[in-house]
Amino acid sequence: KLGNLRFLQPWGRWTLPNGGLEIDKYLYHMRLSEETLQEVSQRFGKEMEKGLGADTNPTAMVKMLPTFVRSTPDGTEDGDFLALDLGGTNFRVLRVKVSDNGLQKVEMENQIYAIPEELMRGSGMQLFDHIAECLANFMEKLKIKDKKLPLGFTFSFPCHQTKLDESILVTWTKGFKCSSVEGKDVVSLLRKSIKKRGDFDIDIVAVVNDTVGTMMTCGYDDHNCEVGLIVGTGTNACYMEEMRHIDLVEGDEGRMCINMEWGAFGDDGVLNDIRTEFDHEIDMGSLNPGKQLFEKMISGMYMGELVRLILVKMAKEGLLFGGKLTPDLLTTGHFETRFVSKEGLQKAHEILTKLGLEPSHEDCIATHRICQIVSTRSANLCGATLAAVLRRIKENKGVDRLRSTVGVDGSVYKKHPHFARRLHKTVRKLLPDCEIRFVRSEDGSGKGAAMVTAVAYRLAAQHKARQKILEALKLSHDQLLEVKQRMRIEMEKGLGKETHEEATVKMLPTYVCSTPDGTEKGDFLALDLGGTNFRVLLVRVRNGMRRGVEMHNKIYSIPVEIMQGTGEELFDHIVHCISDFLEYMGMKGVSLPLGFTFSFPCQQTNLDEGILLKWTKGFKATGCEGEDVVNLLKEAIHRREEFDLDVVAVVNDTVGTMMACGYEDPYCEVGLIVGTGSNACYMEEMRNVELVEGEEGRMCVNMEWGAFGDNGCLDDIRTEFDLAVDELSLNPGKQRFEKMISGMYLGEIVRNILMDFTKRGLLFRGRISERLKTRGIFETKFLSQIESDCLALLQVRSILQHLGLESTCDDSIIVKEVCAVVARRAAQLCGAGMAAVVDKIRENRGLDFLKVTVGVDGTLYKLHPHFSTIMHETVKQLSPKCEVTFLQSEDGSGKGAALITAVACRIREAGQR
């Protein structure tokens, strides 16, 4: 039960002449305290939850019906629309012209047509034929019969909507009884009647409820409008809900307008403790007892009747009109709701006199007060439920302070002198942390229906334009097969002695001739140099029962002056750090085999020899390019004369990845990196590696596949966005494949597409922010975050906000889609390259079926929510004769380098035996 019901307004006590009894006694339960209203608001919030849930909806009173209206106007709507408004004995046809030449403008023309009584009770076919005839007449008059215009249809009867343009009539109301319509889609019936005539055609885009129309009409002028409210003869509300909360409709993206049908709130008894005897009496005498109980407490249809019942009861008890009753006062409906809106005692006197009464001055004061209390309760209850809706929107958005607009229509709201003010006041009291604006709607059922249609049309046209642009980034199965075949051709060129020089995919020999077999053991040092930091590692490899790898490492930085000084200074610094590490590990004086991961372009002529071709990543140390880096390191060790190391191998990080995984899985013969950059390596038959003498056995080939396409062989699938990214990169025309698939460039491709969309008015309302013009703001990690399934669009919006991009919910969906398309293409291209590699291994070995494992590393592969899945699927589709397992590598450049060294030592020792 609700607690102590205090009065929102202390009316003051006043006594009546008869017996001096206080009127409070009668009106006590109609005055709702703030606590009570807060409680009603909470209860309504729970009812909304029930209506949205798939399991609870069937028993929910507040039905929360999906309307399939997915967006509100953004002001760029444009075009010529028709609207049809059927909700009573008359119906209207309207033509609505919406123009957006910088000045939003709406022009309307309309015509009212009657529906004869016999048609309201005839067959459905006759009714819709009549509507089609009136439409034809209207279009004839405006000379637009030859145009196929989009139409929005406001059909104000209880319907079950299944699509924007499909609505099944549940039951007729308002005196309509046409046969063969209930249970049918009203749009189909109207289309049938239009088709039968054959003299005009229209495109019925949307069926609209008048409450939704109200929200949309106001939304055109105020883009914050996301709630529609009607308080007239009946009452209802709608609002924009997050798709992820609407169980009744597939999909989690974006928002959809929910038609709440809130008049039925309380039909299950949850409002019984605040319903009064007068509410019960009204309900019992209504056409639908037990139904629409909330509506009966607040809407115009019942307000006058409530006042009449109170007057009758007080008169019967001798408290008013000297105990006198008149036939007029006793007749249902004779105290009209419009009387409740009248101000002043003079008006009260006139109204009561018309009812055959002879009111005293006190009777007029009492009647005036009763009207006040009945309408205040109505406004307060309406405010309580509206507050629940706004609170939900606030929670959905996750904001501290909500700024929102409510579009309102209905005679009670518009005509009652104090209703609107009281409603606003209640909402403010219950939601002090929200700024809510109320906008009166003009013609929600006509202009609103046209707006819903205009928005649907805009969305469809924009969607089509965006899809056309994104089409170029969507690769078919045949295109991917073609990429796989071209990669194979380029691989052959890189391996061949004659063709190697001009080949773009260099297929460099690494002199790594075996993967781990599990018998490796010993202590090894690894050195990992690939950027401004470098690591020194001690790796203990054990075999037998305690087989495993134990690692210790320390990270050292390389100051800029050393990166850009002389080669001697650089390598002396490296040796100084090795010395520090050996001391730290207590291993000074022990000569250990060392593997050197050197992630710069090198030409290897032996396992322990790597000629630096050119510095990258900001290094500029002199006297190194064209030199063997192992020699440079050895010389620096000798200069220090503190310890000796056996530099066994120069390692590329991709090969390290393969080796690190090869230790865990003997089938691992391929390495792949998809991170900032991308590359692959695999075990090739020596007979095919023409650059190295010898036919026996295998050797790992470092493909350097990022340069695939540098000879133009991928030009047919490169888009304008790829060209733009390439042109502004540090190495135009180089590493073209890498620029389509690796983390360093995907964000930039996305940014270019978003720019293009915005310039075309397909995104961010056509407004390009300075931030969006800034290269590199769209980091690839944002792609992974934006596409993360558990991320609501809310968080996508906050990422975009962080980038300084003000976005609507629709914008967030579009950005998410662009990210998905770009990442999907990257994963598919990567898969096509990988398919070429595994099929080459299979064919090399003359197998019908190959089982192979790929060791993978790289942030894009590891962190992106869908990249790996799409890549795996692509490999499966393009290489059906291979069973490929992907194994994530840990620390290919550290552990991998040590394992290459361990394998080389194992082979060396075996050779010495």
Side-chain angles (χ1 to χ4, degrees):
K1 287 285 171 173
L2 290 173
N4 178 14
L5 297 156
R6 276 195 216 85
F7 310 147
L8 266 183
Q9 279 124 326
W11 303 114
R13 291 165 174 253
W14 45 279
T15 34
L16 296 170
N18 305 36
L21 222 128
E22 297 178 353
I23 200 167
D24 296 22
K25 187 175 163 190
Y26 281 87
L27 306 175
Y28 182 76
H29 289 301
M30 285 217 164
R31 303 179 185 183
L32 305 175
S33 69
E34 198 176 318
E35 292 92 326
T36 304
L37 292 172
Q38 204 60 275
E39 173 66 25
V40 169
S41 194
Q42 302 291 340
R43 287 180 196 178
F44 188 67
K46 287 186 186 131
E47 292 300 310
M48 288 168 73
E49 286 282 351
K50 271 192 209 166
L52 288 169
D55 301 335
T56 44
N57 176 276
T59 56
M61 297 299 118
V62 179
K63 279 298 178 204
M64 306 293 280
L65 305 172
T67 63
F68 298 87
V69 169
R70 294 171 189 269
S71 182
T72 50
D74 71 355
T76 65
E77 288 71 25
D78 207 358
D80 213 345
F81 304 93
L82 290 170
L84 199 54
D85 177 14
L86 176 64
T89 49
N90 290 334
F91 79 99
R92 289 186 306 156
V93 184
L94 303 93
R95 179 200 193 169
V96 182
K97 274 186 174 173
V98 184
S99 52
D100 164 46
N101 35 19
L103 314 155
Q104 298 178 10
K105 213 165 97 188
V106 180
E107 300 169 64
M108 299 200 288
E109 302 168 78
N110 73 70
Q111 172 93 33
I112 294 175
Y113 295 92
I115 298 177
E117 185 102 6
E118 63 273 15
L119 280 184
M120 287 170 68
R121 290 174 169 59
S123 74
M125 193 173 80
Q126 290 171 312
L127 173 70
F128 284 98
D129 284 353
H130 174 66
I131 293 172
E133 188 174 330
C134 297
L135 248 175
N137 168 281
F138 180 75
M139 292 172 79
E140 183 84 61
K141 237 171 68 177
L142 294 182
K143 301 195 169 33
I144 50 173
K145 224 169 165 187
D146 54 333
K147 291 184 181 174
K148 183 177 178 175
L149 294 179
L151 176 133
F153 186 8
T154 301
F155 188 74
S156 302
F157 298 92
C159 278
H160 169 58
Q161 209 159 343
T162 42
K163 289 188 205 151
L164 187 58
D165 64 346
E166 187 174 272
S167 201
I168 315 293
L169 175 66
V170 179
T171 72
W172 280 118
T173 54
K174 308 178 193 178
F176 278 75
K177 292 261 182 348
C178 300
S179 60
S180 311
V181 184
E182 290 181 348
K184 301 259 178 66
D185 167 29
V186 294
V187 175
S188 297
L189 295 171
L190 179 57
R191 280 185 181 138
K192 209 179 272 177
S193 291
I194 291 170
K195 198 171 177 188
K196 198 161 64 183
R197 293 181 60 88
D199 59 342
F200 71 95
D201 195 10
I202 52 171
D203 179 10
I204 304 173
V205 174
V207 188
V208 186
N209 158 297
D210 52 354
T211 318
V212 180
T214 296
M215 176 187 81
M216 295 297 268
T217 304
C218 296
Y220 184 68
D221 300 311
D222 180 333
H223 300 159
N224 278 330
C225 184
E226 49 196 343
V227 183
L229 168 67
I230 289 187
V231 199
T233 319
T235 180
N236 192 13
C238 68
Y239 73 104
M240 295 301 287
E241 175 58 89
E242 299 290 320
M243 276 293 286
R244 67 180 187 277
H245 297 149
I246 307 172
D247 289 357
L248 303 175
V249 182
E250 284 291 297
D252 287 339
E253 302 278 78
R255 303 198 299 169
M256 183 181 284
C257 179
I258 291 288
N259 162 22
M260 300 173 70
E261 293 294 348
W262 79 2
F265 175 38
D267 287 7
D268 56 354
V270 296
L271 294 178
N272 286 356
D273 50 350
I274 61 165
R275 289 176 69 226
T276 63
E277 56 184 300
F278 307 113
D279 295 309
H280 285 284
E281 203 174 326
I282 274 205
D283 182 40
M284 295 321 293
S286 70
L287 292 169
N288 54 348
K291 301 263 183 266
Q292 300 293 99
L293 297 183
F294 183 61
E295 182 168 83
K296 286 170 186 164
M297 294 170 85
I298 69 172
S299 81
M301 192 163 176
Y302 305 98
M303 220 183 264
E305 194 52 19
L306 268 172
V307 173
R308 187 186 72 79
L309 293 174
I310 295 168
L311 294 176
V312 168
K313 187 162 195 259
M314 292 183 80
K316 277 182 180 169
E317 293 180 20
L319 298 173
L320 285 177
F321 317 126
K324 185 183 164 204
L325 290 162
T326 64
D328 267 334
L329 185 62
L330 289 168
T331 309
T332 304
H334 270 208
F335 195 99
E336 297 170 40
T337 293
R338 65 192 175 93
F339 297 164
V340 182
S341 306
K342 302 297 181 203
E343 283 283 71
L345 299 183
Q346 184 61 44
K347 279 283 180 231
H349 192 275
E350 270 173 40
I351 290 163
L352 294 171
T353 308
K354 270 185 192 161
L355 295 173
L357 296 159
E358 293 167 11
S360 66
H361 181 64
E362 284 82 2
D363 290 339
C364 292
I365 291 176
T367 305
H368 185 251
R369 190 71 87 208
I370 291 165
C371 289
Q372 215 168 23
I373 289 172
V374 166
S375 64
T376 298
R377 181 185 73 154
S378 168
N380 286 344
L381 283 172
C382 191
T385 45
L386 186 58
V389 175
L390 292 161
R391 191 179 301 113
R392 185 171 176 89
I393 292 173
K394 179 174 178 282
E395 284 163 11
N396 281 346
K397 290 188 174 180
V399 290
D400 295 332
R401 191 169 182 81
L402 175 71
R403 287 186 59 209
S404 192
T405 299
V406 180
V408 203
D409 206 346
S411 49
V412 173
Y413 183 88
K414 285 183 168 175
K415 292 188 176 152
H416 189 286
H418 305 297
F419 186 92
R421 185 175 50 78
R422 289 175 189 147
L423 169 71
H424 303 170
K425 190 173 174 186
T426 305
V427 172
R428 272 201 302 275
K429 263 194 175 149
L430 299 181
L431 290 178
D433 51 357
C434 296
E435 281 175 58
I436 308 301
R437 182 169 178 242
F438 291 82
V439 175
R440 289 180 176 214
S441 145
E442 355 146 25
D443 193 9
S445 49
K447 181 178 167 184
M451 270 307 146
V452 172
T453 309
V455 168
Y457 239 61
R458 166 176 66 77
L459 291 178
Q462 290 178 335
H463 179 72
K464 198 171 161 190
R466 284 192 300 270
Q467 291 313 312
K468 196 176 166 195
I469 295 165
L470 292 178
E471 209 46 56
L473 289 125
K474 294 178 181 174
L475 302 174
S476 66
H477 179 74
D478 289 348
Q479 282 175 305
L480 291 169
L481 259 179
E482 184 60 35
V483 171
K484 174 191 165 184
Q485 277 147 9
R486 291 177 197 173
M487 175 67 93
R488 177 63 184 268
I489 292 165
E490 296 303 313
M491 286 166 75
E492 301 287 2
K493 280 188 196 165
L495 288 168
K497 209 169 190 170
E498 306 292 314
T499 46
H500 176 82
E501 202 47 52
E502 89 240 15
T504 49
V505 179
K506 280 298 180 201
M507 305 296 281
L508 305 171
T510 65
Y511 298 86
V512 169
C513 296
S514 172
T515 52
D517 68 358
T519 64
E520 293 77 17
K521 65 176 192 294
D523 287 355
F524 304 93
L525 273 181
L527 202 53
D528 175 13
L529 176 65
T532 50
N533 288 334
F534 81 103
R535 290 184 307 158
V536 186
L537 304 94
L538 172 67
V539 182
R540 294 211 154 108
V541 183
R542 295 202 179 94
N543 64 1
M545 294 294 288
R546 297 172 59 209
R547 180 175 183 270
V549 176
E550 179 195 319
M551 299 199 292
H552 303 272
N553 73 66
K554 211 170 168 190
I555 295 173
Y556 297 91
S557 66
I558 301 178
V560 176
E561 59 273 19
I562 288 181
M563 283 167 66
Q564 301 182 354
T566 67
E568 273 194 10
E569 287 167 344
L570 174 64
F571 281 91
D572 283 348
H573 176 70
I574 290 171
V575 172
H576 167 72
C577 296
I578 297 173
S579 167
D580 173 80
F581 179 75
L582 290 172
E583 201 157 306
Y584 168 71
M585 293 301 297
M587 300 196 62
K588 253 320 186 7
V590 185
S591 175
L592 292 178
L594 176 135
F596 187 7
T597 301
F598 189 74
S599 302
F600 296 92
C602 272
Q603 185 191 345
Q604 256 181 291
T605 44
N606 226 316
L607 182 59
D608 61 354
E609 200 175 294
I611 311 293
L612 173 64
L613 299 175
K614 64 171 191 293
W615 281 121
T616 55
K617 309 178 196 179
F619 277 75
K620 290 209 178 65
T622 57
C624 298
E625 290 182 355
E627 297 294 325
D628 170 17
V629 294
V630 173
N631 253 341
L632 296 172
L633 181 63
K634 281 180 175 168
E635 283 168 11
I637 292 171
H638 291 147
R639 277 198 296 275
R640 195 168 177 94
E641 293 181 344
E642 249 183 52
F643 55 86
D644 201 17
L645 293 173
D646 174 13
V647 184
V648 174
V650 182
V651 185
N652 162 293
D653 52 355
T654 317
V655 183
T657 297
M658 176 186 80
M659 294 298 268
C661 292
Y663 187 73
E664 311 296 329
D665 179 342
Y667 284 105
C668 183
E669 302 189 70
V670 185
L672 169 67
I673 288 187
V674 203
T676 318
S678 179
N679 193 13
C681 68
Y682 71 101
M683 296 304 287
E684 178 57 90
E685 304 301 313
M686 274 296 285
R687 65 177 185 275
N688 296 333
V689 185
E690 294 184 8
L691 299 179
V692 180
E693 291 294 307
E695 300 285 308
E696 289 305 305
R698 297 182 183 139
M699 182 182 283
C700 178
V701 167
N702 162 22
M703 295 174 68
E704 291 294 345
W705 82 359
F708 175 39
D710 287 5
N711 58 0
C713 70
L714 293 178
D715 286 0
D716 55 339
I717 61 164
R718 289 173 78 221
T719 65
E720 56 183 295
F721 309 111
D722 296 306
L723 299 176
V725 168
D726 181 33
E727 232 165 80
L728 292 172
S729 67
L730 294 170
N731 53 349
K734 301 266 182 273
Q735 300 294 93
R736 292 181 184 180
F737 187 57
E738 181 169 80
K739 284 171 188 166
M740 293 167 89
I741 66 174
S742 83
M744 190 164 174
Y745 304 99
L746 296 191
E748 215 22 40
I749 296 174
V750 167
R751 188 185 68 82
N752 274 282
I753 297 170
L754 299 184
M755 285 263 292
D756 186 71
F757 279 5
T758 312
K759 281 177 187 162
R760 295 171 192 259
L762 305 173
L763 184 64
F764 303 136
R765 295 186 182 162
R767 298 182 197 131
I768 294 197
S769 66
E770 281 308 311
R771 287 287 287 163
L772 192 57
K773 292 182 193 165
T774 313
R775 276 187 58 216
I777 57 152
F778 220 90
E779 294 170 51
T780 300
K781 69 170 181 190
F782 291 144
L783 259 78
S784 297
Q785 287 170 0
I786 284 172
E787 270 204 79
S788 169
D789 290 328
C790 54
L791 254 201
L793 285 170
L794 195 64
Q795 282 138 305
V796 176
R797 281 178 80 171
S798 73
I799 290 172
L800 292 173
Q801 235 156 11
H802 166 75
L803 294 175
L805 305 171
E806 273 307 314
S807 69
T808 63
C809 183
D810 296 335
D811 291 335
S812 305
I813 295 174
I814 294 162
V815 170
K816 195 167 177 177
E817 187 191 4
V818 172
C819 291
V821 168
V822 169
R824 183 179 185 80
R825 182 187 70 154
Q828 286 177 324
L829 286 171
C830 197
M834 207 19 74
V837 173
V838 294
D839 259 338
K840 172 123 177 55
I841 296 174
R842 183 181 64 77
E843 288 169 27
N844 280 347
R845 298 177 192 178
L847 299 171
D848 290 332
F849 189 78
L850 172 74
K851 188 172 171 0
V852 68
T853 297
V854 178
V856 202
D857 204 349
T859 45
L860 188 60
Y861 182 89
K862 286 182 169 176
L863 300 180
H864 191 283
H866 309 301
F867 189 96
S868 56
T869 316
I870 296 164
M871 187 184 100
H872 301 170
E873 276 169 13
T874 309
V875 175
K876 206 170 176 178
Q877 284 163 4
L878 301 180
S879 295
K881 293 181 180 173
C882 300
E883 184 191 318
V884 186
T885 307
F886 291 86
L887 185 60
Q888 284 201 23
S889 143
E890 319 156 48
D891 194 11
S893 47
K895 180 176 166 184
L899 283 166
I900 289 173
T901 309
V903 169
C905 290
R906 164 173 66 80
I907 291 168
R908 193 162 66 184
E909 281 161 24
Q912 284 164 0
R913 277 190 209 127

